[in-house]
Amino acid sequence: MDIDARGPRFGAAVTTVVLAVVLVTGSAWLLAWQTLAFLLGAAGGVTRSPYGLLFARAVRPRLGPPTAFEAPEPPRFAQAVGLVFAGLGLVGYTLGPGWLGLAATGAALAAAFLNAVFGYCLGCEMYLLMRRVTVRAE
């Protein structure tokens, strides 16, 4: 079943803010929260992530009906990619080296920002590219 395309973009906007605060403060605890949010989004889909639930309960009822829908698999894959980068960032912030925390968190922030501001989901595009490559290989 397709999902409201505004939900993942809302989640990306919240993620952008969270990751920006992590970079400014160096808070490993806040990055741990974001890592958990990515984990839940990757495991259960973006509609079951904390930001997806917030969108469904607090934001979507205040908006008009959705006009654009998307398949849930690409955003779910994007959450898994975010999980990898946030996990690497968390390792860097807690165990070192510090540059790993900054670089991995910065990369995740850049991807979230692109989705939030421009509607361009890097993880989703990776998913679609992988699908095209694997379908041709079969």
Side-chain angles (χ1 to χ4, degrees):
M1 184 165 103
D2 287 347
I3 58 173
D4 184 343
R6 300 171 296 184
R9 197 161 177 185
F10 171 80
V14 176
T15 299
T16 297
V17 172
V18 169
L19 293 175
V21 171
V22 168
L23 285 176
V24 169
T25 64
S27 172
W29 289 107
L30 189 56
L31 186 55
W33 161 255
Q34 183 57 53
T35 304
L36 176 63
F38 279 137
L39 175 66
L40 294 172
V46 293
T47 58
R48 293 197 176 108
S49 72
Y51 308 145
L53 293 171
L54 178 63
F55 174 77
R57 294 192 177 126
V59 178
R60 187 172 179 188
R62 290 169 173 74
L63 302 175
T67 57
F69 295 90
E70 66 181 309
E73 294 84 8
R76 188 173 186 173
F77 180 82
Q79 292 288 298
V81 173
L83 173 63
V84 169
F85 279 93
L88 285 172
L90 192 55
V91 167
Y93 275 111
T94 57
L95 303 175
W99 62 263
L100 177 62
L102 292 170
T105 303
L109 171 61
F113 178 81
L114 283 174
N115 193 357
V117 175
F118 301 108
Y120 187 81
C121 176
L122 284 173
C124 300
E125 294 301 322
M126 287 173 53
Y127 174 84
L128 296 173
L129 179 63
M130 286 176 36
R131 289 282 307 209
R132 276 182 259 168
V133 169
T134 56
V135 167
R136 286 185 188 151
E138 292 176 355

mmCIF file of all heavy atoms in Angstrom, residues 63-115:
data_model
loop_
_atom_site.group_PDB
_atom_site.id
_atom_site.type_symbol
_atom_site.label_atom_id
_atom_site.label_comp_id
_atom_site.label_asym_id
_atom_site.label_seq_id
_atom_site.Cartn_x
_atom_site.Cartn_y
_atom_site.Cartn_z
ATOM 1 N N LEU A 63 -3.598 18.933 7.540
ATOM 2 C CA LEU A 63 -3.361 19.153 6.114
ATOM 3 C C LEU A 63 -4.551 18.658 5.312
ATOM 4 O O LEU A 63 -5.378 17.900 5.802
ATOM 5 C CB LEU A 63 -2.111 18.400 5.664
ATOM 6 C CG LEU A 63 -0.802 18.734 6.368
ATOM 7 C CD1 LEU A 63 0.293 17.802 5.876
ATOM 8 C CD2 LEU A 63 -0.418 20.178 6.141
ATOM 9 N N GLY A 64 -4.603 19.059 4.082
ATOM 10 C CA GLY A 64 -5.617 18.521 3.189
ATOM 11 C C GLY A 64 -5.289 17.082 2.839
ATOM 12 O O GLY A 64 -4.240 16.553 3.214
ATOM 13 N N PRO A 65 -6.175 16.432 2.101
ATOM 14 C CA PRO A 65 -5.907 15.042 1.712
ATOM 15 C C PRO A 65 -4.649 14.975 0.833
ATOM 16 O O PRO A 65 -4.337 15.919 0.107
ATOM 17 C CB PRO A 65 -7.152 14.628 0.938
ATOM 18 C CG PRO A 65 -7.887 15.864 0.628
ATOM 19 C CD PRO A 65 -7.436 16.928 1.574
ATOM 20 N N PRO A 66 -3.944 13.866 0.913
ATOM 21 C CA PRO A 66 -2.720 13.738 0.118
ATOM 22 C C PRO A 66 -3.023 13.737 -1.375
ATOM 23 O O PRO A 66 -4.039 13.210 -1.818
ATOM 24 C CB PRO A 66 -2.127 12.408 0.566
ATOM 25 C CG PRO A 66 -3.233 11.665 1.214
ATOM 26 C CD PRO A 66 -4.211 12.679 1.717
ATOM 27 N N THR A 67 -2.122 14.341 -2.128
ATOM 28 C CA THR A 67 -2.254 14.352 -3.585
ATOM 29 C C THR A 67 -1.165 13.521 -4.251
ATOM 30 O O THR A 67 -1.266 13.211 -5.418
ATOM 31 C CB THR A 67 -2.182 15.791 -4.128
ATOM 32 O OG1 THR A 67 -0.942 16.377 -3.712
ATOM 33 C CG2 THR A 67 -3.346 16.629 -3.607
ATOM 34 N N ALA A 68 -0.121 13.192 -3.484
ATOM 35 C CA ALA A 68 0.976 12.385 -4.020
ATOM 36 C C ALA A 68 1.240 11.221 -3.078
ATOM 37 O O ALA A 68 1.268 11.390 -1.858
ATOM 38 C CB ALA A 68 2.224 13.240 -4.177
ATOM 39 N N PHE A 69 1.417 10.071 -3.673
ATOM 40 C CA PHE A 69 1.710 8.870 -2.915
ATOM 41 C C PHE A 69 3.002 8.256 -3.450
ATOM 42 O O PHE A 69 3.388 8.520 -4.586
ATOM 43 C CB PHE A 69 0.568 7.852 -3.048
ATOM 44 C CG PHE A 69 -0.711 8.331 -2.449
ATOM 45 C CD1 PHE A 69 -1.640 9.037 -3.198
ATOM 46 C CD2 PHE A 69 -0.995 8.088 -1.117
ATOM 47 C CE1 PHE A 69 -2.825 9.479 -2.640
ATOM 48 C CE2 PHE A 69 -2.170 8.526 -0.545
ATOM 49 C CZ PHE A 69 -3.093 9.218 -1.310
ATOM 50 N N GLU A 70 3.644 7.441 -2.612
ATOM 51 C CA GLU A 70 4.834 6.729 -3.056
ATOM 52 C C GLU A 70 4.864 5.351 -2.422
ATOM 53 O O GLU A 70 4.236 5.113 -1.389
ATOM 54 C CB GLU A 70 6.109 7.509 -2.743
ATOM 55 C CG GLU A 70 6.419 7.681 -1.280
ATOM 56 C CD GLU A 70 7.691 8.481 -1.051
ATOM 57 O OE1 GLU A 70 8.725 8.146 -1.646
ATOM 58 O OE2 GLU A 70 7.641 9.444 -0.273
ATOM 59 N N ALA A 71 5.608 4.473 -3.054
ATOM 60 C CA ALA A 71 5.785 3.128 -2.512
ATOM 61 C C ALA A 71 6.584 3.228 -1.214
ATOM 62 O O ALA A 71 7.473 4.066 -1.090
ATOM 63 C CB ALA A 71 6.515 2.260 -3.527
ATOM 64 N N PRO A 72 6.285 2.381 -0.242
ATOM 65 C CA PRO A 72 6.983 2.485 1.043
ATOM 66 C C PRO A 72 8.410 1.933 1.036
ATOM 67 O O PRO A 72 9.206 2.276 1.908
ATOM 68 C CB PRO A 72 6.093 1.668 1.986
ATOM 69 C CG PRO A 72 5.383 0.704 1.107
ATOM 70 C CD PRO A 72 5.199 1.403 -0.215
ATOM 71 N N GLU A 73 8.751 1.096 0.067
ATOM 72 C CA GLU A 73 10.056 0.446 0.083
ATOM 73 C C GLU A 73 11.239 1.412 -0.069
ATOM 74 O O GLU A 73 12.209 1.283 0.697
ATOM 75 C CB GLU A 73 10.134 -0.652 -0.991
ATOM 76 C CG GLU A 73 9.211 -1.810 -0.744
ATOM 77 C CD GLU A 73 7.787 -1.576 -1.260
ATOM 78 O OE1 GLU A 73 7.562 -0.558 -1.960
ATOM 79 O OE2 GLU A 73 6.910 -2.396 -0.958
ATOM 80 N N PRO A 74 11.223 2.356 -1.008
ATOM 81 C CA PRO A 74 12.376 3.263 -1.108
ATOM 82 C C PRO A 74 12.622 4.093 0.162
ATOM 83 O O PRO A 74 13.776 4.139 0.623
ATOM 84 C CB PRO A 74 12.033 4.142 -2.319
ATOM 85 C CG PRO A 74 11.150 3.286 -3.151
ATOM 86 C CD PRO A 74 10.322 2.513 -2.160
ATOM 87 N N PRO A 75 11.607 4.705 0.781
ATOM 88 C CA PRO A 75 11.893 5.427 2.020
ATOM 89 C C PRO A 75 12.367 4.506 3.148
ATOM 90 O O PRO A 75 13.195 4.901 3.974
ATOM 91 C CB PRO A 75 10.562 6.089 2.386
ATOM 92 C CG PRO A 75 9.798 6.155 1.125
ATOM 93 C CD PRO A 75 10.233 4.965 0.324
ATOM 94 N N ARG A 76 11.864 3.288 3.158
ATOM 95 C CA ARG A 76 12.310 2.336 4.186
ATOM 96 C C ARG A 76 13.789 2.006 3.996
ATOM 97 O O ARG A 76 14.560 1.938 4.953
ATOM 98 C CB ARG A 76 11.459 1.070 4.115
ATOM 99 C CG ARG A 76 11.697 0.120 5.240
ATOM 100 C CD ARG A 76 10.707 -1.018 5.181
ATOM 101 N NE ARG A 76 10.843 -1.868 6.347
ATOM 102 C CZ ARG A 76 10.036 -2.855 6.622
ATOM 103 N NH1 ARG A 76 9.008 -3.126 5.827
ATOM 104 N NH2 ARG A 76 10.229 -3.590 7.689
ATOM 105 N N PHE A 77 14.197 1.820 2.752
ATOM 106 C CA PHE A 77 15.612 1.587 2.458
ATOM 107 C C PHE A 77 16.430 2.813 2.850
ATOM 108 O O PHE A 77 17.532 2.678 3.401
ATOM 109 C CB PHE A 77 15.803 1.268 0.972
ATOM 110 C CG PHE A 77 17.226 1.017 0.587
ATOM 111 C CD1 PHE A 77 17.803 -0.222 0.792
ATOM 112 C CD2 PHE A 77 18.002 2.021 0.031
ATOM 113 C CE1 PHE A 77 19.120 -0.464 0.453
ATOM 114 C CE2 PHE A 77 19.319 1.798 -0.313
ATOM 115 C CZ PHE A 77 19.886 0.551 -0.108
ATOM 116 N N ALA A 78 15.909 3.995 2.584
ATOM 117 C CA ALA A 78 16.612 5.227 2.960
ATOM 118 C C ALA A 78 16.810 5.303 4.470
ATOM 119 O O ALA A 78 17.851 5.782 4.948
ATOM 120 C CB ALA A 78 15.839 6.444 2.454
ATOM 121 N N GLN A 79 15.847 4.816 5.227
ATOM 122 C CA GLN A 79 15.997 4.774 6.682
ATOM 123 C C GLN A 79 17.138 3.840 7.074
ATOM 124 O O GLN A 79 17.886 4.130 8.018
ATOM 125 C CB GLN A 79 14.692 4.315 7.340
ATOM 126 C CG GLN A 79 13.546 5.295 7.210
ATOM 127 C CD GLN A 79 13.753 6.510 8.082
ATOM 128 O OE1 GLN A 79 13.825 6.413 9.298
ATOM 129 N NE2 GLN A 79 13.838 7.658 7.448
ATOM 130 N N ALA A 80 17.282 2.738 6.366
ATOM 131 C CA ALA A 80 18.378 1.805 6.643
ATOM 132 C C ALA A 80 19.728 2.448 6.328
ATOM 133 O O ALA A 80 20.700 2.267 7.080
ATOM 134 C CB ALA A 80 18.188 0.514 5.853
ATOM 135 N N VAL A 81 19.791 3.203 5.251
ATOM 136 C CA VAL A 81 21.025 3.915 4.916
ATOM 137 C C VAL A 81 21.331 4.951 6.001
ATOM 138 O O VAL A 81 22.468 5.067 6.468
ATOM 139 C CB VAL A 81 20.929 4.582 3.526
ATOM 140 C CG1 VAL A 81 22.138 5.468 3.257
ATOM 141 C CG2 VAL A 81 20.781 3.521 2.435
ATOM 142 N N GLY A 82 20.311 5.678 6.429
ATOM 143 C CA GLY A 82 20.486 6.633 7.520
ATOM 144 C C GLY A 82 20.951 5.950 8.788
ATOM 145 O O GLY A 82 21.793 6.491 9.526
ATOM 146 N N LEU A 83 20.433 4.767 9.044
ATOM 147 C CA LEU A 83 20.839 3.992 10.220
ATOM 148 C C LEU A 83 22.331 3.683 10.179
ATOM 149 O O LEU A 83 23.028 3.807 11.192
ATOM 150 C CB LEU A 83 20.024 2.698 10.298
ATOM 151 C CG LEU A 83 20.425 1.691 11.366
ATOM 152 C CD1 LEU A 83 20.249 2.279 12.766
ATOM 153 C CD2 LEU A 83 19.585 0.425 11.208
ATOM 154 N N VAL A 84 22.836 3.303 9.021
ATOM 155 C CA VAL A 84 24.265 3.003 8.890
ATOM 156 C C VAL A 84 25.098 4.242 9.204
ATOM 157 O O VAL A 84 26.051 4.191 9.990
ATOM 158 C CB VAL A 84 24.586 2.460 7.477
ATOM 159 C CG1 VAL A 84 26.085 2.390 7.246
ATOM 160 C CG2 VAL A 84 23.936 1.098 7.272
ATOM 161 N N PHE A 85 24.730 5.378 8.609
ATOM 162 C CA PHE A 85 25.506 6.599 8.838
ATOM 163 C C PHE A 85 25.373 7.092 10.275
ATOM 164 O O PHE A 85 26.361 7.520 10.879
ATOM 165 C CB PHE A 85 25.105 7.686 7.842
ATOM 166 C CG PHE A 85 25.767 7.508 6.510
ATOM 167 C CD1 PHE A 85 25.142 6.804 5.496
ATOM 168 C CD2 PHE A 85 27.025 8.028 6.275
ATOM 169 C CE1 PHE A 85 25.759 6.613 4.271
ATOM 170 C CE2 PHE A 85 27.656 7.853 5.054
ATOM 171 C CZ PHE A 85 27.025 7.141 4.042
ATOM 172 N N ALA A 86 24.179 7.035 10.829
ATOM 173 C CA ALA A 86 24.004 7.461 12.224
ATOM 174 C C ALA A 86 24.753 6.515 13.164
ATOM 175 O O ALA A 86 25.349 6.964 14.153
ATOM 176 C CB ALA A 86 22.523 7.511 12.584
ATOM 177 N N GLY A 87 24.740 5.227 12.862
ATOM 178 C CA GLY A 87 25.479 4.262 13.671
ATOM 179 C C GLY A 87 26.978 4.535 13.633
ATOM 180 O O GLY A 87 27.658 4.510 14.670
ATOM 181 N N LEU A 88 27.500 4.805 12.442
ATOM 182 C CA LEU A 88 28.914 5.169 12.325
ATOM 183 C C LEU A 88 29.211 6.453 13.093
ATOM 184 O O LEU A 88 30.237 6.556 13.766
ATOM 185 C CB LEU A 88 29.304 5.337 10.856
ATOM 186 C CG LEU A 88 29.472 4.071 10.040
ATOM 187 C CD1 LEU A 88 29.656 4.405 8.562
ATOM 188 C CD2 LEU A 88 30.648 3.262 10.550
ATOM 189 N N GLY A 89 28.312 7.413 12.983
ATOM 190 C CA GLY A 89 28.484 8.665 13.724
ATOM 191 C C GLY A 89 28.491 8.427 15.222
ATOM 192 O O GLY A 89 29.300 9.014 15.952
ATOM 193 N N LEU A 90 27.617 7.573 15.672
ATOM 194 C CA LEU A 90 27.540 7.271 17.100
ATOM 195 C C LEU A 90 28.827 6.606 17.589
ATOM 196 O O LEU A 90 29.341 6.938 18.666
ATOM 197 C CB LEU A 90 26.321 6.383 17.364
ATOM 198 C CG LEU A 90 25.899 6.190 18.811
ATOM 199 C CD1 LEU A 90 25.651 7.520 19.506
ATOM 200 C CD2 LEU A 90 24.648 5.325 18.867
ATOM 201 N N VAL A 91 29.358 5.699 16.781
ATOM 202 C CA VAL A 91 30.642 5.083 17.124
ATOM 203 C C VAL A 91 31.720 6.157 17.219
ATOM 204 O O VAL A 91 32.518 6.190 18.166
ATOM 205 C CB VAL A 91 31.027 3.990 16.096
ATOM 206 C CG1 VAL A 91 32.478 3.562 16.256
ATOM 207 C CG2 VAL A 91 30.096 2.794 16.211
ATOM 208 N N GLY A 92 31.747 7.051 16.245
ATOM 209 C CA GLY A 92 32.745 8.115 16.256
ATOM 210 C C GLY A 92 32.627 9.032 17.461
ATOM 211 O O GLY A 92 33.634 9.408 18.071
ATOM 212 N N TYR A 93 31.408 9.386 17.825
ATOM 213 C CA TYR A 93 31.206 10.282 18.960
ATOM 214 C C TYR A 93 31.509 9.609 20.295
ATOM 215 O O TYR A 93 31.937 10.263 21.235
ATOM 216 C CB TYR A 93 29.776 10.830 18.982
ATOM 217 C CG TYR A 93 29.583 12.054 18.123
ATOM 218 C CD1 TYR A 93 28.815 11.987 16.967
ATOM 219 C CD2 TYR A 93 30.140 13.272 18.464
ATOM 220 C CE1 TYR A 93 28.633 13.101 16.165
ATOM 221 C CE2 TYR A 93 29.968 14.395 17.678
ATOM 222 C CZ TYR A 93 29.211 14.306 16.521
ATOM 223 O OH TYR A 93 29.034 15.419 15.742
ATOM 224 N N THR A 94 31.247 8.320 20.399
ATOM 225 C CA THR A 94 31.415 7.653 21.699
ATOM 226 C C THR A 94 32.772 6.976 21.854
ATOM 227 O O THR A 94 33.354 7.000 22.937
ATOM 228 C CB THR A 94 30.301 6.609 21.932
ATOM 229 O OG1 THR A 94 30.307 5.663 20.869
ATOM 230 C CG2 THR A 94 28.944 7.285 22.043
ATOM 231 N N LEU A 95 33.280 6.349 20.801
ATOM 232 C CA LEU A 95 34.522 5.594 20.899
ATOM 233 C C LEU A 95 35.681 6.239 20.148
ATOM 234 O O LEU A 95 36.828 5.890 20.375
ATOM 235 C CB LEU A 95 34.314 4.165 20.375
ATOM 236 C CG LEU A 95 33.212 3.345 21.051
ATOM 237 C CD1 LEU A 95 33.038 2.016 20.349
ATOM 238 C CD2 LEU A 95 33.529 3.162 22.522
ATOM 239 N N GLY A 96 35.349 7.119 19.221
ATOM 240 C CA GLY A 96 36.371 7.757 18.403
ATOM 241 C C GLY A 96 36.567 6.983 17.116
ATOM 242 O O GLY A 96 36.069 5.879 16.965
ATOM 243 N N PRO A 97 37.256 7.554 16.188
ATOM 244 C CA PRO A 97 37.777 8.914 16.205
ATOM 245 C C PRO A 97 36.669 9.951 16.012
ATOM 246 O O PRO A 97 35.646 9.673 15.366
ATOM 247 C CB PRO A 97 38.763 8.935 15.033
ATOM 248 C CG PRO A 97 38.227 7.907 14.079
ATOM 249 C CD PRO A 97 37.580 6.842 14.944
ATOM 250 N N GLY A 98 36.878 11.125 16.564
ATOM 251 C CA GLY A 98 35.869 12.179 16.501
ATOM 252 C C GLY A 98 35.500 12.592 15.088
ATOM 253 O O GLY A 98 34.353 12.926 14.813
ATOM 254 N N TRP A 99 36.487 12.550 14.176
ATOM 255 C CA TRP A 99 36.193 12.945 12.799
ATOM 256 C C TRP A 99 35.163 12.023 12.165
ATOM 257 O O TRP A 99 34.392 12.441 11.307
ATOM 258 C CB TRP A 99 37.467 13.014 11.949
ATOM 259 C CG TRP A 99 38.186 11.707 11.803
ATOM 260 C CD1 TRP A 99 39.249 11.259 12.522
ATOM 261 C CD2 TRP A 99 37.870 10.656 10.877
ATOM 262 N NE1 TRP A 99 39.623 10.003 12.119
ATOM 263 C CE2 TRP A 99 38.795 9.603 11.093
ATOM 264 C CE3 TRP A 99 36.906 10.494 9.890
ATOM 265 C CZ2 TRP A 99 38.776 8.422 10.365
ATOM 266 C CZ3 TRP A 99 36.884 9.313 9.156
ATOM 267 C CH2 TRP A 99 37.812 8.293 9.396
ATOM 268 N N LEU A 100 35.149 10.737 12.590
ATOM 269 C CA LEU A 100 34.160 9.803 12.052
ATOM 270 C C LEU A 100 32.759 10.226 12.470
ATOM 271 O O LEU A 100 31.827 10.193 11.660
ATOM 272 C CB LEU A 100 34.454 8.374 12.532
ATOM 273 C CG LEU A 100 33.460 7.294 12.095
ATOM 274 C CD1 LEU A 100 33.442 7.170 10.573
ATOM 275 C CD2 LEU A 100 33.809 5.963 12.739
ATOM 276 N N GLY A 101 32.606 10.633 13.731
ATOM 277 C CA GLY A 101 31.308 11.115 14.199
ATOM 278 C C GLY A 101 30.840 12.318 13.405
ATOM 279 O O GLY A 101 29.681 12.391 12.973
ATOM 280 N N LEU A 102 31.739 13.263 13.199
ATOM 281 C CA LEU A 102 31.386 14.471 12.443
ATOM 282 C C LEU A 102 31.064 14.159 10.986
ATOM 283 O O LEU A 102 30.063 14.642 10.447
ATOM 284 C CB LEU A 102 32.530 15.487 12.523
ATOM 285 C CG LEU A 102 32.787 16.110 13.879
ATOM 286 C CD1 LEU A 102 34.098 16.894 13.867
ATOM 287 C CD2 LEU A 102 31.626 17.006 14.271
ATOM 288 N N ALA A 103 31.907 13.359 10.352
ATOM 289 C CA ALA A 103 31.723 13.068 8.925
ATOM 290 C C ALA A 103 30.454 12.263 8.664
ATOM 291 O O ALA A 103 29.675 12.583 7.757
ATOM 292 C CB ALA A 103 32.944 12.323 8.386
ATOM 293 N N ALA A 104 30.233 11.215 9.441
ATOM 294 C CA ALA A 104 29.057 10.372 9.221
ATOM 295 C C ALA A 104 27.775 11.131 9.538
ATOM 296 O O ALA A 104 26.785 11.041 8.797
ATOM 297 C CB ALA A 104 29.153 9.101 10.066
ATOM 298 N N THR A 105 27.782 11.913 10.613
ATOM 299 C CA THR A 105 26.602 12.710 10.958
ATOM 300 C C THR A 105 26.367 13.776 9.905
ATOM 301 O O THR A 105 25.228 14.036 9.510
ATOM 302 C CB THR A 105 26.764 13.338 12.358
ATOM 303 O OG1 THR A 105 27.003 12.287 13.300
ATOM 304 C CG2 THR A 105 25.527 14.109 12.763
ATOM 305 N N GLY A 106 27.434 14.385 9.416
ATOM 306 C CA GLY A 106 27.306 15.391 8.357
ATOM 307 C C GLY A 106 26.742 14.814 7.073
ATOM 308 O O GLY A 106 25.922 15.451 6.396
ATOM 309 N N ALA A 107 27.157 13.603 6.726
ATOM 310 C CA ALA A 107 26.625 12.955 5.519
ATOM 311 C C ALA A 107 25.138 12.662 5.673
ATOM 312 O O ALA A 107 24.344 12.889 4.749
ATOM 313 C CB ALA A 107 27.398 11.677 5.225
ATOM 314 N N ALA A 108 24.752 12.167 6.840
ATOM 315 C CA ALA A 108 23.329 11.903 7.088
ATOM 316 C C ALA A 108 22.528 13.208 7.067
ATOM 317 O O ALA A 108 21.417 13.252 6.534
ATOM 318 C CB ALA A 108 23.157 11.195 8.432
ATOM 319 N N LEU A 109 23.104 14.266 7.631
ATOM 320 C CA LEU A 109 22.447 15.573 7.616
ATOM 321 C C LEU A 109 22.258 16.073 6.188
ATOM 322 O O LEU A 109 21.184 16.567 5.836
ATOM 323 C CB LEU A 109 23.258 16.585 8.430
ATOM 324 C CG LEU A 109 22.811 18.045 8.343
ATOM 325 C CD1 LEU A 109 21.390 18.224 8.842
ATOM 326 C CD2 LEU A 109 23.768 18.938 9.116
ATOM 327 N N ALA A 110 23.279 15.936 5.360
ATOM 328 C CA ALA A 110 23.177 16.390 3.971
ATOM 329 C C ALA A 110 22.050 15.664 3.244
ATOM 330 O O ALA A 110 21.252 16.286 2.522
ATOM 331 C CB ALA A 110 24.507 16.181 3.252
ATOM 332 N N ALA A 111 21.956 14.348 3.434
ATOM 333 C CA ALA A 111 20.903 13.570 2.769
ATOM 334 C C ALA A 111 19.520 13.974 3.280
ATOM 335 O O ALA A 111 18.580 14.128 2.495
ATOM 336 C CB ALA A 111 21.138 12.079 2.981
ATOM 337 N N ALA A 112 19.389 14.137 4.591
ATOM 338 C CA ALA A 112 18.094 14.541 5.154
ATOM 339 C C ALA A 112 17.701 15.927 4.669
ATOM 340 O O ALA A 112 16.532 16.179 4.349
ATOM 341 C CB ALA A 112 18.155 14.507 6.684
ATOM 342 N N PHE A 113 18.664 16.830 4.590
ATOM 343 C CA PHE A 113 18.399 18.191 4.122
ATOM 344 C C PHE A 113 17.906 18.185 2.677
ATOM 345 O O PHE A 113 16.954 18.883 2.340
ATOM 346 C CB PHE A 113 19.668 19.040 4.257
ATOM 347 C CG PHE A 113 19.516 20.440 3.752
ATOM 348 C CD1 PHE A 113 18.924 21.418 4.548
ATOM 349 C CD2 PHE A 113 19.956 20.796 2.490
ATOM 350 C CE1 PHE A 113 18.777 22.717 4.084
ATOM 351 C CE2 PHE A 113 19.813 22.084 2.015
ATOM 352 C CZ PHE A 113 19.223 23.048 2.817
ATOM 353 N N LEU A 114 18.552 17.399 1.825
ATOM 354 C CA LEU A 114 18.113 17.317 0.423
ATOM 355 C C LEU A 114 16.667 16.860 0.312
ATOM 356 O O LEU A 114 15.903 17.371 -0.506
ATOM 357 C CB LEU A 114 19.020 16.363 -0.360
ATOM 358 C CG LEU A 114 20.384 16.890 -0.758
ATOM 359 C CD1 LEU A 114 21.212 15.776 -1.385
ATOM 360 C CD2 LEU A 114 20.245 18.054 -1.724
ATOM 361 N N ASN A 115 16.291 15.893 1.136
ATOM 362 C CA ASN A 115 14.921 15.386 1.104
ATOM 363 C C ASN A 115 13.948 16.426 1.661
ATOM 364 O O ASN A 115 12.897 16.681 1.079
ATOM 365 C CB ASN A 115 14.816 14.082 1.874
ATOM 366 C CG ASN A 115 13.522 13.353 1.625
ATOM 367 O OD1 ASN A 115 12.646 13.818 0.913
ATOM 368 N ND2 ASN A 115 13.386 12.197 2.228
#
